[in-house]
Each structure stands twice: as structure tokens, then as C-alpha cells.
Amino acid sequence: MIDLSITLLRLLTTPDAYGPAVFGWLITGSFGLLAIIYAFLKWQRRTSLNWIKAAAKAKKKVWKELKVPLSPHSWTEEFAHDVQSSTCSVCLTSLVYPQALGTKATPRNPVHRCSVCGVVAHFYCSELAAKDCKCVAQAGFAHVQHQWSERWIDMDDNSEMSAFCSYCDEPCGVPILDAPTWHCLWCQRLIHVKCHAKMSEESGDVCDLGALRRLILSPICVKEDEEILRSGMLTSITGDIIASSVIRRRRHRNKHGSARSVNGKLQNTSTANTVLEFVLDRLASLKRYISQSKDPILKKGGRVLSGKDTHNAWQKKGSSVPYVQVKKYTLVDLPQDARPLLVFINTKSGAQYGPSLRRRLNMLLNPVQVFELSSSQGPDAGLKFFSNVQYFRVLVCGGDGTVAWVLDAIERHNFESPPPVSVLPLGTGNDLSRVLQWGRGFSTVDGQGGLSTVLADINIAAVTMLDRWEVNIQEEKSDGDRSKVQSKFMMNYLGIGCDAKVAYEFHTMREEKPEKFYSQFVNKLRYAKEGAKDIMDRTCADLPWQVWLEVDGRDIHIPKDAEGLIVLNIGSYMGGVDLWQNDHEHDDDFNLQCMHDKMLEVVCISGAWHLGKLQVGLSQARRLAQGKVIRMHSSSAFPVQIDGEPFIQQPGCLEITHHGQVFMLRRASEEPRGHPAAIMTEVLVDAECKGVINAAQKKLLLQQMALQLS
């Protein structure tokens, strides 16, 4: 680059007259090249729009003949820079509002996006959108029909492997080179518009739900029940409030109305009435009319909702809103061999990928089988909805704490054949996900083939067992009496001392300022920062003199330099650290660690600095004991964390005992013996389905299989 600059300077400074002329030709050629590129991009966009218009026009003709079940879109608010598509699905113009000359550009333009099929529209266009979203409830139909749609966004994670017409096997999806293309909202297949007539004659346009058919809850098994819920009257809404609340939002829509505002008031009466209806709709959407409902519902014309997570319920327009109409669903006529997937998403986990992940899952699955967890709605809503499904699998999208939450709910429901649980890691540590081969974080999903590949792996995953442990916590009162015993459950690990203090400080900061914890990498940096503080403070240096350790009735000596004790059930701690280290040689006689051997392992660490060296593999934890019953007695208050959930333990006793075992799903594609285990799991489930064995026998056989294949 330097040599090129020197050459240009010499060319310009030479007395020869050709130097400036050559430089001028270079500048002219550069502008000409930019003009050609700009013209090509405009032609490409115009061609793409014509391509989409042709696909939309052909789709309307086909739907009139096939009478495909339709549904209104479920709009949610987003910003134009957050969406993959850049074109409004209604007016086919750019989603970014044009800016007047000399005005400041607006980088964040609010738009409406359908949370079910992914199409995007302007705020003022969404009301005019055709009701061509996929219908989630089609009970009474003999079979599912293909629901063809224009391909507004690239839904396939492996586009290079499936960008071919499902009928003629020719490449499709390139607007410049190919004919208009549709994709099915259920099976995700692509087809040329010109190939559809031939395929329809041969197969009758029947959709088999694609490669994920066993995981998708078929819409013909979902029945829609409408229910009327009463609510209070909305009164005392004046024109002044309306004008002050919406005039800023409507300022950019002058071309759609002639109203003018003076001192914050609307002069046009008809426009005021229109705005009144608009505000009433928005105010009504904030009412939680169905806060007590636990059944999956969908608001009319709105977002897919589940139980107490129903934040928005559309009201009828008018000066008062006496009731709201919502959609309620039940499962009917489910085939005996159905194996649908029940999905739970914790939107607050880790880097908070939950909202975008839910939209992707809604597009790949049936939205009624996807439930969002929150402080007002737990997993019981989804488990109740699936209570009549004999065999199903569960996907938990969240951290280790979310997995424990769902496992508690499954145990309370007391299923005859408990569903196995898989994990899509959204948390910070994701230790259980690492052990079960589901990855270290959500950022690795795209590198492993995308979300479609993860769902396909869940379909063929092997069932294994996981020990669950009960932690009884008893505090000592000042007068010497013992308080009431509190019980918690553990599945990964329990720590007391310096590691729990770092976790407690991190948890407190995240509760106070959740907006700062927006990525897994940043979360780990903040975690390391808290660890660095503890290196200087050494607040747990007196742990060997304040804590007594007892394993299976035997007192265990705690080294004097120990600042933390960790009880392990799995081979991953704090983001992938192997503290027990089965693969290394040791000079003790302890057994290998296993997550379903009904045994716990105890190690100690020598402060936050030792913890940091463990993270990078420069040190080893000291192995202290192995047993079935662990007791810890403390004479002073110490921080304690159970599966990453920290708290301050007052002087008292912690007792850990075996509670039971739960079914988990291990990714089979990552292990050499995974595929045989997955096949054996399927054989046992089919045997139970046909009555050859019962649920208790299947559970025993799965336990033995998990032990043999570990």
C-alpha cells in the first residue's frame, strides 16, 4: 500500500503532462465503476420485487382453488435494522423510512413483524396485510395441506444443501436466474411456482411436515376453542390525552391524513376518532385479562401467547371495552406414535437470546408447542397442555437454573412415563448442556448446522439418566434452637466459600442492572472481574476453621489453605472446568465420576486465584472425598451456590442426600456409541407403546442402558 502511494505521488509530481491526466482518468473510472455497481443493485432489487410479486399473484390463485386454512398474522414490534428482510410484505417498499434532505437519518425504524411466519410490514401496512399466516389449529381436516408463501427470509439454516425445488430438484431461490419460488410454512420445502400444478396433481398438495414431522405438533390435532373473558370498562380517555400520547408517533404519517395539531390538540374530528380507536387498542393490549389462565391461547389477530405470559389481548374498538375475545387450544385425536416436542424458553437467561429464538422456533414448529417462561408463568402451563400426550420430549432453552425449574415441574406432574429433557444453552455457564453434548452456548448453534440441525438431533438423541439431589438447609438460631428445614434440589454442583461469593456478587449485579448483561462473553468478563476482587479481599480465608465436612458419617479434613468447597455431580463446573478429572492419573483410590451413579464428589480450591488457574488448565483441584450423604456444618455466615443460584447461608447445617433420577437426552451425533443408544431408546419406547413392557420396566432398562454406555 505504501509503495502504491509513493508511485502515485511520483506520477503527480513529474513534470510530464501525462501524470495529472492519468490521475483524472483513474478518478473518473472509479466513479463510473461505482455508478455501474449502484445501477446493478437497483436492477437486482427491482427484479427481486417483481419476482416476489409474481409469486404472490400466483399464490392467491392457488389458494382460491385449494381453500387452505388461513390465519391472521401475529404482529410484534421490532426495528428495521433487527429484521432480516428489508422489504414490506404489503406495499413491497423499503422498511426504512426515507429522510428529507438535510435531516438527520433515523437508524431505528419501528416495524411490525409476524412472530409465526416472520414476514415484516410497516406499522400502517400491517392492518392491510392478507390473512395468509399458517393456521396453528386445523382440527377436523383430514390432512395438513402445504401452506405456500413467498420466501421473505432465509429460514433454512443449511441453505446450500436445500435450495432446490422439492419437485424438479433444480436450484431455486435466486430471483435473477430462476422462476418465482414458494416455500411451505410447515415443512420448509421450496418449490417453483411453475412446478406446483404438476405436484398438486400427483400428491394432492398434502404436506407431511417435513424432516421434523415427529417433533412438530400437527395442526390437525389442535382444536381451537373461543372463550369470552369479562373485563372492566375503559373510561375517562379524553382527546387531550390521545393527542399528547400519539401525535409524536403519527408525525411521520402526514401523507395518510390531513389533521394538524395546534398546542397539542387535534383539529380534525374524524382523525381524532380514528386515533381514539388506535389508542384504545394499544391501551387494551396492556391489560392482563387472562393473568389467571394456564392454558395456551392466542390473542385474536395478535401474538401467540401461553398461559400467564399473555401480555397482549386485543380489544374491540370503541369508547369502552367490556370484554376481550381470546383463542384457547386443546389437543385432540393425537396418534399413538406421536412424539411432539414441548419447548420452554427463558428469555432472561444469559445473553437474552430468548425473543429471537422463539420466533425461529415458531417458524419451524407449531407455535402452540412453544412456551415462554417468566416470573408470572412457570412450566406448568405447557406440561398441562401436554398432559394427554403419552410420549413427548422437552426442550429447555435457557441456563442450568431453567433446566432445574422445568425438572421440578415435571416431577410434580408425576407422569407415568416422564418425558426426557434436552437443553439448548442460553445461560452463562451451561455446564449440564456441555456434559450432554448440546454445546457450550447459543452462539455455537450456527456452527453446528443451525437450529434445524439441533432439532433433528433431538429427534434421534439417546436417553440417559441424571441424579438429582435434595439439599436440606437448617439454620441455627441465636438461642441455640434449630429453625425449620428448607429444601432445595441440586443436579450439577454445590459450592460454599470463595466461588459462591463470586457467583453471589455477579448475581446481585445482574439483578440490579440486567441491561448490562447482553452477551455471554461480556458476562464472563464481569464474572472474572468479581473473581479478581476476591483475590484481594480473601473474605473466605477462615473457611477451614468455620466449616466442618462430613461424608457418609466420616469427618473429612479440610486443608488450611482451602477457601472453598465444591460438591460435584457432573463433570463440568463454571463453564466447562473438569474438577474431578477422570482422564488423569491420581494417587488416591476414588472411583470415576458419573452423573447417574448415585455418588457425589467433593473437592477444595485455594481461593479465586486458584479458580482462575483452573479455568485455563494450569492447576488441579484437590480431591477430598466421595460418598452418598454429604453434611456441611458452618459456625458463621458463608455464601453458598447451588447450580449457579447463590445465597447467603447463615450458621447451620447443609445436608445433601439422593433424591431420584430424571430422564435426559444426550446428543447422539457427538459420541461413537450414541447412535446405538438412540436406536435402543426408540425400541424401548415402541415396546411400551405396544404394551410389550410397562413404564416401570422401560425406566429400569433405560437406567441399565445408560450405565453400560457411560
Side-chain angles (χ1 to χ4, degrees), residues 29-150:
S30 300
F31 279 106
L33 181 61
L34 291 176
I36 293 174
I37 294 175
Y38 177 75
F40 174 77
L41 292 177
K42 287 195 66 175
W43 173 80
Q44 185 183 36
R45 176 174 176 78
R46 185 167 58 252
T47 304
S48 299
L49 290 178
N50 293 334
W51 190 72
I52 293 176
K53 288 179 180 179
K57 185 177 180 180
K59 183 185 70 174
K60 292 181 180 180
K61 295 180 180 179
V62 172
W63 277 15
K64 290 180 180 179
E65 299 174 359
L66 298 179
K67 298 181 180 180
V68 180
L70 304 178
S71 179
H73 289 285
S74 305
W75 299 113
T76 57
E77 294 184 6
E78 282 194 15
F79 292 94
H81 73 284
D82 293 331
V83 298
Q84 185 178 359
S85 176
S86 60
T87 305
C88 175
S89 60
V90 179
C91 66
L92 298 181
T93 60
S94 176
L95 291 171
V96 181
Y97 298 119
Q99 301 292 328
L101 187 63
T103 60
K104 186 177 180 180
T106 304
R108 299 171 64 88
N109 297 300
V111 295
H112 269 159
R113 175 171 182 171
C114 179
S115 61
V116 176
C117 65
V119 301
V120 190
H122 294 115
F123 263 59
Y124 48 83
C125 292
S126 59
E127 299 177 358
L128 305 175
K131 297 180 179 181
D132 55 357
C133 191
K134 67 179 180 182
C135 184
V136 300
Q138 302 180 21
F141 287 83
H143 56 263
V144 182
Q145 290 181 282
H146 283 296
Q147 198 147 352
W148 302 112
S149 175
E150 306 89 347

Side-chain angles (χ1 to χ4, degrees), residues 231-486:
S231 65
M233 304 287 289
L234 296 180
T235 56
S236 303
I237 300 180
T238 64
D240 292 336
I241 299 176
I242 298 168
S244 62
S245 62
V246 301
I247 189 170
R248 288 188 299 273
R249 175 174 290 186
R250 293 240 169 173
R251 189 168 293 167
H252 67 277
R253 302 190 206 170
N254 290 336
K255 64 179 182 178
H256 292 280
S258 58
R260 296 291 184 270
S261 60
V262 179
N263 296 328
K265 307 245 180 172
L266 288 177
Q267 294 179 328
N268 192 315
T269 305
S270 61
T271 306
N273 293 334
T274 304
V275 175
L276 174 62
E277 295 178 355
F278 178 84
V279 174
L280 285 173
D281 282 344
R282 290 303 182 263
L283 291 176
S285 69
L286 300 177
K287 303 287 288 181
R288 299 175 183 268
Y289 290 100
I290 37 183
S291 60
Q292 303 300 323
S293 172
K294 291 184 178 293
D295 295 319
I297 60 173
L298 174 70
K299 72 180 181 181
K300 191 170 185 180
R303 176 172 67 86
V304 176
L305 305 169
S306 304
K308 289 186 177 181
D309 186 37
T310 51
H311 301 310
N312 301 319
W314 288 91
Q315 306 287 348
K316 287 195 172 183
K317 297 181 180 180
S319 59
S320 63
V321 186
Y323 64 90
V324 60
Q325 190 175 29
V326 298
K327 292 183 179 180
K328 184 178 177 181
Y329 298 102
T330 56
L331 300 182
V332 295
D333 301 329
L334 201 67
Q336 190 177 12
D337 60 345
R339 308 282 193 275
L341 182 68
L342 174 60
V343 182
F344 294 108
I345 302 178
N346 188 351
T347 57
K348 297 295 182 65
S349 291
Q352 303 180 13
Y353 289 113
S356 62
L357 177 61
R358 178 170 185 172
R359 288 190 294 268
R360 294 174 64 182
L361 288 170
N362 283 344
M363 297 177 199
L364 293 172
L365 304 173
N366 192 327
V368 300
Q369 64 188 108
V370 181
F371 289 79
E372 186 174 317
L373 300 177
S374 65
S375 58
S376 59
Q377 174 185 274
D380 295 288
L383 294 173
K384 181 181 178 182
F385 183 54
F386 270 58
S387 59
N388 295 327
V389 183
Q390 188 174 5
Y391 307 107
F392 64 96
R393 296 188 168 191
V394 174
L395 171 62
V396 179
C397 306
D400 294 335
T402 308
V403 177
W405 189 9
V406 173
L407 291 177
D408 288 340
I410 291 176
E411 182 179 354
R412 289 196 304 269
H413 278 258
N414 196 23
F415 289 98
E416 181 181 4
S417 183
V421 178
S422 58
V423 184
L424 185 61
L426 298 183
T428 302
N430 304 312
D431 292 290
L432 184 60
S433 174
R434 295 170 187 265
V435 172
L436 297 174
Q437 308 298 328
W438 293 111
R440 63 181 183 272
F442 184 68
S443 58
T444 63
V445 170
D446 292 331
Q448 295 174 345
L451 191 58
S452 299
T453 302
V454 173
L455 294 177
D457 286 341
I458 293 175
N459 189 31
I460 60 173
V463 176
T464 187
M465 308 300 297
L466 174 68
D467 288 326
R468 294 192 75 211
W469 301 83
E470 185 176 6
V471 183
N472 294 320
I473 306 171
Q474 192 172 41
E475 299 179 359
E476 291 183 355
K477 298 182 179 179
S478 58
D479 55 2
D481 295 336
R482 292 184 176 273
S483 62
K484 184 179 179 181
V485 177
Q486 297 180 354

Side-chain angles (χ1 to χ4, degrees), residues 552-682:
D552 290 344
R554 296 180 296 107
D555 291 335
I556 303 299
H557 172 69
I558 301 176
K560 293 183 179 180
D561 61 344
E563 295 186 22
L565 296 175
I566 303 174
V567 182
L568 303 169
N569 183 46
I570 64 174
S572 179
Y573 169 77
M574 207 172 69
V577 180
D578 184 6
L579 296 180
W580 195 252
Q581 296 183 334
N582 283 341
D583 299 332
H584 290 67
E585 294 185 1
H586 302 276
D587 56 358
D588 52 44
D589 57 352
F590 294 125
N591 296 324
L592 296 178
Q593 184 185 42
C594 185
M595 64 181 180
H596 46 65
D597 60 355
K598 302 179 182 179
M599 296 281 287
L600 289 172
E601 291 73 33
V602 184
V603 300
C604 72
I605 55 177
S606 304
W609 177 250
H610 186 201
L611 205 60
K613 292 194 294 184
L614 289 170
Q615 283 276 2
V616 295
L618 296 179
S619 182
Q620 295 181 358
R622 189 176 303 179
R623 312 204 308 181
L624 297 181
Q626 193 174 40
K628 297 182 178 180
V629 180
I630 312 293
R631 290 188 180 90
M632 294 182 184
H633 307 266
S634 63
S635 58
S636 62
F638 271 94
V640 176
Q641 60 103 355
I642 300 177
D643 293 340
E645 303 297 329
F647 60 94
I648 299 298
Q649 168 63 28
Q650 299 302 321
C653 177
L654 290 174
E655 183 182 49
I656 309 174
T657 57
H658 191 261
H659 176 73
Q661 292 182 319
V662 293
F663 291 111
M664 302 297 294
L665 288 173
R666 183 191 293 268
R667 197 170 195 164
S669 59
E670 301 294 329
E671 298 181 359
R673 288 185 287 183
H675 290 292
I679 295 173
M680 293 174 65
T681 299
E682 192 63 30

